Amino acid sequence: MSKTPMMQQYEQAKATAGEAILLFRMGDFYELFHDDAKVAAKVLGLTLTSRDKSENPVPMAGFPHHQLDSYLAKLIRAGYRVAVCDQVENPQQAKGLVRREVTRILSPGTITDNSILEPTQNNYLIAVAPTNDLSSFGLAWVELSTGQFVAAQGDAAVMLDLIERLNPAEALVPQNQRTPLAWGSPSFALTTRPDWTFSPARAKDTLYKQFHVSTLEGFGFDDSDSLAIIAAAAIVHYLSETQAASLDHINVLHAFRRGECLEIDQATWRSLEISRTIRNQQREGSLLATIDRSVTAMGSRLLGQWLMAPLVQPAAIEQRQDSIAELVRENRLRENLRQDLKQIHDLERVISRVFTGRATPRDLKQISASLTRLPGLRERLVGRTSYWLQFLQVEIDPCPDLQELLDRAIVDDAPLQTSSGGYIRPGYDSELDDWRELASGGKRWIAEYQQKIIQESGIGSLKVGFNKVFGYYIEVTNVHQTKIPDYFIRKQTLKNVERYITPELKEYEDKVLSAEQQSLDRELLLFDQLRETTRAYAARLKQLGEQLAMLDLLAALAELAVQQKYCRPEITTGTELILRDGRHPVLDIVQPLGVFVPNDTCLDAENGWIHLITGPNMAGKSTYIRQVALITLMAQIGSFVPAKQAMIGIVDRIFARVGASDELSRGQSTFMVEMTETARILNTATSRSLVILDEIGRGTSTYDGVSLAWAIAEYLHEQIGCRTLFATHYHELTELEKNFRGVKNYNVSVREWEEKIVFLHKIIPGGADKSYGIHVAQLAGVPDWVNRRAQQILNQLQSKQQPTDRERMANAGSRAAQVQLTLFEVSEHPLIDKIKRLDTGHLTPLSALEMLHGWQQELQQVAAKKSRVD
């Protein structure tokens, strides 16, 4: 059976869409066919039908066009790429089949629609350009909705750490080359691309064309950055292919350099729950969500970027601190700025839609409304003393000419679409006003015309009317038939009346019937002009969005500091880390006021660089060591911190080995993961790093675990010398304090009361003498029988433990003990004592036989007695 012209057009569009699901506009519906229809029916809950009832029916599903955004969001979130094929000419003006084209191809990393994007989160598309041996790779990432574009390259482990922090929506990888992303189970969409799009020969030319330059040196790149350049070019090529719109808002490529920010590896980023929680991988409950006080989406996204790349230059940190401190002191200023900023729309994403030609009337109105707030906002910043507030006061550009134009042109309640008109203000354009007047029926003209023909005909009761079936007419009752002028043309006969038309009224009717379309066309033309005018301001507006995000975030961090009574940390070039009454930045906020117990931390030459922290589970060891890491991280983004006093020497890297997890996809057990992460710490930490370790060595036998933990602590002290918090249940490690000057023991204070324990959550000097594991099991709801039996076994083990065990571990240092612990030790039998005392040198054969016979009887008597008891 031959295909209809419509289906031929569909096939052409599908060829353009490739593997993407094609949404094909047909009148008021978007239709899907073949396998796309089956997928849509399942994912979107649509009814699956067929286009015809022939022997080979074509599966078909569809939805109304006005529901496009909601269905797009569902498909994108399900990980699919989607192509939208729209009608690109007016069906009323089309001659034959309406022309259709694929207007955009959307994927998880290329969406710009507000209805799909999460306002407070960056939506990154990344590209990975690996070396053949996968030892290193280039990495580039773009935020299409804002135009942010960055590239880096380095060792595979470092780049994978960066990807974890970026949390991308989609990754581009070469089709026929392995990449490090295949090592795990990424949470983002993987899109394979032809290998030639990662070609070194094409890469520079692609970027030269995008940025209109002849070298990338101005962006900070040279020949040593070849992998980063290849990855960036792969992104540009993908966007050029999938986005039927301008990419002019992607106008600069930033170089991400290792060493210019505090580094955080994948395990640490996850363990500290900086941007997502471990339990459900959601933003809610993370550090980012908990401390975010921004009043704009721009500020929230910038906070995520700051946490991803904390500073390591004290001067830059102090510049941010100075502005936050000024906003902390000036309550009225902070409150007024935040009120102004609440009226500012998401300019970063709005401007990107202006660049790409997809701005709506509402977008232009949001620009106008935002610009209106800026003169007053700038005025509030006059006379400020801190660097960033002074800078922003000078640099924030209200663009008054553009604001006046848009305010005069766009109605207050602007719509999202241009299809229905009504978004240009009356009085802005006289021609549009005339067409609107005609389209609304031209009441004034009708009244004047009616009066004119009454005078000409002398028929006082004559009326000019209109209906949708017959159009305009002149109605005359039959009693005036003799007065009908010759130029009246009969149109309709009714009971007691006749209706007529005149050449002049017919000409006016034709104008009115076309006036609505003329009005819509004129309004769209004016809007396109406004959009182009705004586009000329786009570079300034993009910069403005970045500046307002900065101001919002500074004010938000100041608001957080005031609400939570944070202090300004002293940032030094030393290696001390001193906190007075430090608090966990998340728990301090989410728990009821006064519940969280603050603690001091003193890591320095006098108080030791390595603190060994012992105590029972649930007492707060993990919380304490995490809070020190999070406070350090917050300090190096420039934030105030949850403490009464803080002095922090710049940290170059934070490492956290906390928690246990298998990586079954890579065939790694919990203990293997633990040792792999520990190995990375020991091989890459420096004297300026901060290391937090929790229960190292749990996944193996007791003596193996103790020995490994001991040796790791020694190595950190002797070979690296970095600031370390080491939480452990191995009480044997407390002996390290006697051997190493930089090691100090601390424990979590616990009180026993009526055979129960009370956790005080206070870190105090000294080592714990027991772990209270059975008490914790009781609190967890373990059956009483198990707890009682465990206590009996514990008592038995403790009564038989040699008193020199701890001394033996201390003397052994890092050597592994030769004997494994057993759960039950066997008591020596009395016969063994007799054998030990036996003088075999003076024993005759006969006496030996008698002794053996006696021992045999003795054993038989014991066995008989046991049998009677049983």
Side-chain angles (χ1 to χ4, degrees):
M1 180 182 293
S2 62
K3 295 178 180 177
T4 64
M6 176 74 77
M7 290 308 293
Q8 290 176 358
Q9 192 180 55
Y10 168 82
E11 295 293 349
Q12 293 171 356
K14 182 59 181 174
T16 301
E19 296 180 354
I21 292 175
L22 180 65
L23 306 181
F24 189 72
R25 179 73 180 267
M26 295 175 64
D28 290 336
F29 284 80
Y30 280 101
E31 303 289 359
L32 303 97
F33 300 99
H34 301 293
D35 289 342
D36 289 351
K38 295 176 182 178
V39 170
K42 182 178 180 180
V43 175
L44 305 178
L46 303 177
T47 300
L48 186 65
T49 61
S50 61
R51 181 163 173 77
D52 56 53
K53 305 300 180 182
S54 64
E55 293 181 1
N56 298 306
V58 176
M60 175 180 176
F63 55 84
H65 72 95
H66 62 270
Q67 295 179 344
L68 175 64
D69 287 346
S70 64
Y71 284 124
L72 270 179
K74 290 180 181 179
L75 288 169
I76 294 296
R77 287 171 186 148
Y80 292 98
R81 298 173 72 229
V82 185
V84 180
C85 183
D86 282 317
Q87 298 173 168
V88 293
E89 65 176 334
N90 190 327
Q92 296 177 353
Q93 299 175 349
K95 295 180 180 180
L97 192 64
V98 176
R99 188 161 56 89
R100 294 174 173 85
E101 292 179 1
V102 173
T103 55
R104 51 183 170 151
I105 299 177
L106 295 91
S107 61
T110 62
I111 52 178
T112 58
D113 303 67
N114 275 349
S115 57
I116 305 175
L117 287 170
E118 173 58 46
T120 61
Q121 297 182 33
N122 291 290
N123 191 74
Y124 288 120
L125 168 72
I126 70 171
V128 173
T131 55
N132 290 331
D133 63 359
L134 303 184
S135 61
S136 60
F137 60 87
L139 175 68
W141 61 96
V142 68
E143 227 285 14
L144 186 59
S145 69
T146 65
Q148 179 193 9
F149 195 19
V150 189
Q153 72 179 51
D155 295 343
V158 175
M159 294 296 99
L160 289 171
D161 292 341
L162 193 48
I163 291 174
E164 176 71 25
R165 303 203 296 271
L166 287 167
N167 187 28
E170 180 181 6
L172 309 178
V173 297
Q175 190 171 30
N176 297 309
Q177 185 176 1
R178 289 190 311 128
T179 70
L181 301 188
W183 293 347
S185 301
S187 59
F188 43 84
L190 274 178
T191 301
T192 57
R193 298 285 295 153
D195 291 351
W196 64 264
T197 64
F198 288 84
S199 167
R202 296 171 179 255
K204 285 186 178 179
D205 288 341
T206 299
L207 296 180
Y208 291 165
K209 183 179 178 181
Q210 173 63 30
F211 301 124
H212 309 290
V213 297
S214 58
T215 177
L216 297 176
E217 291 181 5
F219 296 142
F221 293 90
D222 55 35
D223 290 341
S224 66
D225 300 307
S226 58
L227 292 174
I229 291 170
I230 292 170
I235 283 182
V236 171
H237 190 276
Y238 181 68
L239 294 179
S240 299
E241 182 181 292
T242 59
Q243 306 302 300
S246 166
L247 298 177
D248 287 351
H249 66 304
I250 302 176
N251 51 18
V252 62
L253 179 65
H254 297 282
F256 186 93
R257 299 297 182 192
R258 187 179 182 189
E260 294 181 357
C261 65
L262 186 156
E263 295 184 22
I264 306 172
D265 63 23
Q266 297 179 73
T268 302
W269 187 264
R270 290 193 296 264
S271 296
L272 296 181
E273 298 185 303
I274 296 171
S275 62
R276 303 185 302 281
T277 60
I278 294 174
R279 174 171 294 184
N280 56 20
Q281 294 298 301
Q282 297 298 312
R283 183 179 189 270
E284 189 66 29
S286 67
L287 174 71
L288 171 59
T290 305
I291 67 172
D292 186 8
R293 297 293 184 275
S294 305
V295 294
T296 72
M298 299 180 291
S300 292
R301 293 196 300 270
L302 183 60
L303 175 59
Q305 294 168 29
W306 280 16
L307 288 172
M308 191 186 82
L311 303 173
V312 292
Q313 303 87 10
I317 295 172
E318 289 166 359
Q319 281 182 341
R320 291 180 182 177
Q321 287 182 332
D322 289 343
S323 295
I324 294 170
E326 188 166 7
L327 291 169
V328 166
R329 292 192 304 269
E330 301 285 345
N331 288 321
R332 181 64 62 84
L333 170 65
R334 185 183 71 256
E335 292 167 2
N336 289 338
L337 286 175
R338 285 168 60 81
Q339 286 300 318
D340 287 338
L341 288 163
K342 284 180 182 178
Q343 310 304 316
I344 304 293
H345 295 276
D346 194 345
L347 287 182
E348 288 182 324
R349 286 183 169 168
V350 171
I351 295 308
S352 291
R353 293 194 289 275
V354 172
F355 266 118
T356 58
R358 292 182 179 140
T360 67
R362 185 170 298 176
D363 287 333
L364 297 194
K365 188 60 192 179
Q366 288 181 350
I367 292 172
S368 171
S370 299
L371 294 176
T372 300
R373 310 295 304 186
L374 297 187
L377 184 147
R378 277 189 67 184
E379 186 64 27
R380 300 188 197 284
L381 295 175
V382 172
R384 298 301 134 198
T385 58
S386 59
Y387 169 79
W388 279 113
L389 297 188
Q390 289 180 342
F391 173 85
L392 293 170
Q393 196 280 326
V394 173
E395 293 297 320
I396 286 176
D397 181 4
C399 302
D401 294 343
L402 178 63
Q403 187 278 324
E404 188 277 330
L405 172 66
L406 295 180
D407 188 55
R408 183 163 50 85
I410 306 294
V411 298
D412 291 336
D413 190 18
L416 279 172
Q417 305 296 331
T418 59
S419 55
S420 300
Y423 44 86
I424 299 294
R425 282 189 189 277
Y428 175 73
D429 180 75
S430 59
E431 183 179 341
L432 174 61
D433 290 343
D434 290 342
W435 285 120
R436 283 175 170 171
E437 173 68 14
L438 276 174
S440 65
K443 294 180 180 179
R444 185 179 62 183
W445 188 94
I446 293 296
E448 291 175 351
Y449 182 71
Q450 179 175 294
Q451 190 60 37
K452 172 187 171 184
I453 58 177
I454 286 175
Q455 292 175 354
E456 291 178 354
S457 66
I459 303 173
S461 61
L462 174 152
K463 295 188 301 183
V464 178
F466 175 85
N467 68 38
K468 293 182 179 180
V469 178
F470 293 99
Y472 283 96
Y473 56 83
I474 301 169
E475 188 174 277
V476 181
T477 59
N478 289 336
V479 297
H480 296 293
Q481 288 299 311
T482 57
K483 299 180 181 179
I484 299 299
D486 294 340
Y487 60 88
F488 276 30
I489 302 168
R490 182 176 279 106
K491 191 170 188 178
Q492 185 183 15
T493 299
L494 298 175
K495 184 180 181 180
N496 298 326
V497 298
E498 292 285 339
R499 288 178 174 174
Y500 301 88
I501 191 73
T502 67
E504 186 177 6
L505 187 57
K506 179 61 178 174
E507 179 183 355
Y508 180 77
E509 179 183 81
D510 291 342
K511 283 185 177 180
V512 169
L513 293 178
S514 66
E516 184 172 355
Q517 187 59 50
Q518 293 285 358
S519 172
L520 290 173
D521 292 345
R522 179 65 182 175
E523 196 166 7
L524 185 58
L525 174 65
L526 294 171
F527 179 70
D528 285 341
Q529 292 172 353
L530 289 168
R531 192 156 49 185
E532 281 304 304
T533 300
T534 306
R535 199 171 188 276
Y537 285 81
R540 292 162 62 183
L541 293 171
K542 181 182 177 184
Q543 191 173 43
L544 175 62
E546 295 170 356
Q547 293 161 354
L548 293 172
M550 177 73 156
L551 181 60
D552 181 27
L553 183 50
L554 292 172
L557 291 173
E559 181 72 12
L560 175 70
V562 171
Q563 288 179 357
Q564 300 302 127
K565 295 181 172 56
Y566 285 2
C567 76
R568 174 176 178 166
E570 180 183 349
I571 303 298
T572 75
T573 57
T575 53
E576 64 274 270
L577 202 166
I578 300 172
L579 305 174
R580 302 297 182 195
D581 285 346
R583 312 187 302 275
H584 192 289
V586 176
L587 297 180
D588 183 49
I589 292 175
V590 300
Q591 289 185 345
L593 184 65
V595 169
F596 191 84
V597 178
N599 274 294
D600 294 345
T601 304
C602 294
L603 290 164
D604 59 13
E606 180 181 350
N607 297 284
W609 304 114
I610 298 180
H611 288 186
L612 289 171
I613 305 156
T614 49
N617 279 323
M618 292 180 59
K621 297 192 305 296
S622 296
T623 297
Y624 168 69
I625 63 177
R626 278 186 172 100
Q627 83 183 32
V628 174
L630 290 173
I631 288 173
T632 302
L633 175 65
M634 289 179 64
Q636 289 192 212
I637 70 168
S639 173
F640 285 25
V641 299
K644 283 189 176 180
Q645 183 182 352
M647 178 185 294
I648 299 173
I650 287 291
V651 170
D652 63 353
R653 304 174 190 182
I654 295 178
F655 294 98
R657 166 87 279 284
V658 180
S661 63
D662 291 322
E663 290 196 12
L664 299 179
S665 64
R666 296 177 61 182
Q668 293 188 352
S669 67
T670 299
F671 184 63
M672 183 61 180
V673 172
E674 178 183 319
M675 288 298 103
T676 300
E677 293 175 359
T678 303
R680 186 172 182 196
I681 294 172
L682 299 179
N683 289 323
T684 57
T686 74
S687 60
R688 299 206 66 90
S689 300
L690 172 63
V691 175
I692 64 172
L693 300 173
D694 190 17
E695 303 299 348
I696 290 294
R698 288 178 300 178
T700 186
S701 63
T702 303
Y703 276 138
D704 275 356
V706 172
S707 301
L708 278 167
W710 188 296
I712 289 166
E714 275 193 15
Y715 190 88
L716 288 167
H717 183 277
E718 295 292 283
Q719 304 298 323
I720 300 176
C722 62
R723 289 160 283 187
T724 303
L725 296 175
F726 198 137
T728 183
H729 276 102
Y730 295 138
H731 301 144
E732 290 82 1
L733 267 62
T734 58
E735 297 294 327
L736 283 162
E737 185 181 63
K738 298 177 181 178
N739 300 334
F740 300 100
R741 185 174 57 85
V743 178
K744 300 296 180 183
N745 290 325
Y746 288 84
N747 72 91
V748 189
S749 184
V750 173
R751 291 290 181 269
E752 295 186 56
W753 180 69
E754 294 184 354
E755 298 185 353
K756 295 183 179 180
I757 57 171
V758 178
F759 299 121
L760 301 182
H761 303 295
K762 201 70 178 174
I763 306 297
I764 59 175
D769 55 359
K770 55 183 177 178
S771 294
Y772 298 95
I774 295 173
H775 294 80
V776 173
Q778 184 179 13
L779 292 174
V782 172
D784 288 342
W785 187 94
V786 174
N787 288 318
R788 289 196 302 271
R789 180 58 179 148
Q791 188 63 55
Q792 291 171 0
I793 295 169
L794 177 63
N795 293 338
Q796 181 180 355
L797 290 172
Q798 288 176 338
S799 67
K800 296 185 180 299
Q801 183 174 345
Q802 297 299 320
T804 58
D805 277 354
R806 181 172 295 184
E807 296 171 6
R808 186 167 66 250
M809 281 301 304
N811 294 331
S814 60
R815 292 199 316 272
Q818 299 299 311
V819 181
Q820 296 290 332
L821 287 177
T822 58
L823 182 58
F824 299 106
E825 294 182 13
V826 180
S827 300
E828 288 190 355
H829 196 279
L831 287 179
I832 296 175
D833 239 3
K834 294 179 181 180
I835 293 171
K836 286 180 178 179
R837 295 197 301 269
L838 205 60
D839 183 3
T840 56
H842 296 84
L843 192 66
T844 66
L846 181 60
S847 61
L849 285 172
E850 290 176 349
M851 291 180 69
L852 284 172
H853 178 69
W855 292 345
Q856 187 178 43
Q857 287 184 324
E858 191 175 328
L859 288 172
Q860 287 172 350
Q861 290 172 2
V862 171
K865 185 184 294 183
K866 183 176 184 300
S867 176
R868 288 195 298 273
V869 171
D870 291 342

